[in-house]
Amino acid sequence: MKKCNASASSLLPVESLEQRRLFSAGIAFHSAPLAPSATPALVSHAKAAAPATRVTLKVTGQGSFFASGVTITATVKSNVRGTAPAGTVRFLNGGNPIAIDANGNPLALALGSDGKASYTFGVSNVTLLPTQDPISAVYTSSNSLPGSSSKTVVVKIKTPKFVTKSDGLQISTVKKGTGTATLAAGRTARVVYTGLLASNGKIFDYTNAHGSSSGPFSFTVQSSPEQVIPGFDEGVVGMKVGEIRVLSLPANLGYGSRGIPPTIPANAALIFSIKLLSIS
């Protein structure tokens, strides 16, 4: 996050979900009456066979903007007597994987013996924005049962309250920290973060984007020369350990008129979600 990254425009946490299913029915009409001597044919409407497996989704917890702390759980049920589902589940948002590993690769989460697989949003991975497509899950079977996909669910995100500084930096504390120590100039911060472009919510960087060996990011607050971009440097001051903040940076507090093409355009407003792990 060196002289680094941030982003997003509308901000919101997960407060509820709703699942809607649309059913349709057909009605057959005869254009001419039957002849008196004709014997009406019995028309059988075959009932569609129930799928062998069914995936349902549930969202629990509260989060803000990045949905940190929100858990999505997929439950796979078998309609075949005597055969329990086994395999993996992938969570998708508009066809794109939500669950990723430390290197940014899609995760296939193993199904537990209870037929469930869960994923919890963190600060340093993927975001959940209201402009994205609803969440779905895909079950891939490892036994005789076929795989199946879930119906989509809509996760509602609400906008956190921001405090706007005189230079245009907006700060929102979405989870309070603990202890008496606060982050100040000259102290070393150890954080995890995610940065997005405010224009479209696209993630341009996150803590482990450079490999699992990189771990959390550490920097000296307001050092000379600066180790991070101005808005990030200013926005973390006063944080306590465990605190999560969302920062909205105008372009002049980010990468300015140059940007970092092609990842960060010129004059790009940025948004960061930051969690403070330790102060030294």
Side-chain angles (χ1 to χ4, degrees), residues 41-63:
L42 293 178
V43 180
S44 62
H45 296 279
K47 189 176 181 180
T53 54
R54 180 167 57 92
V55 183
T56 57
L57 287 179
K58 183 178 181 181
V59 177
T60 55
Q62 290 291 322

Side-chain angles (χ1 to χ4, degrees), residues 6 197-199 249-261 264-270:
L197 298 177
S199 60
L249 283 63
N252 64 300
L253 296 180
Y255 295 96
S257 59
R258 292 187 177 183
I260 304 181
I264 302 174
N267 301 310
L270 309 173

Side-chain angles (χ1 to χ4, degrees), residues 168-210:
L169 174 67
Q170 292 184 301
I171 301 175
S172 177
T173 296
V174 297
K175 180 181 179 182
K176 293 182 178 180
T178 58
T180 57
T182 58
L183 198 54
R187 304 295 297 273
T188 297
R190 183 168 170 266
V191 302
V192 290
Y193 69 89
T194 302
L196 303 88
L197 298 177
S199 60
N200 57 17
K202 182 178 180 180
I203 297 174
F204 62 81
D205 195 16
Y206 58 96
T207 314
N208 292 330
H210 311 291

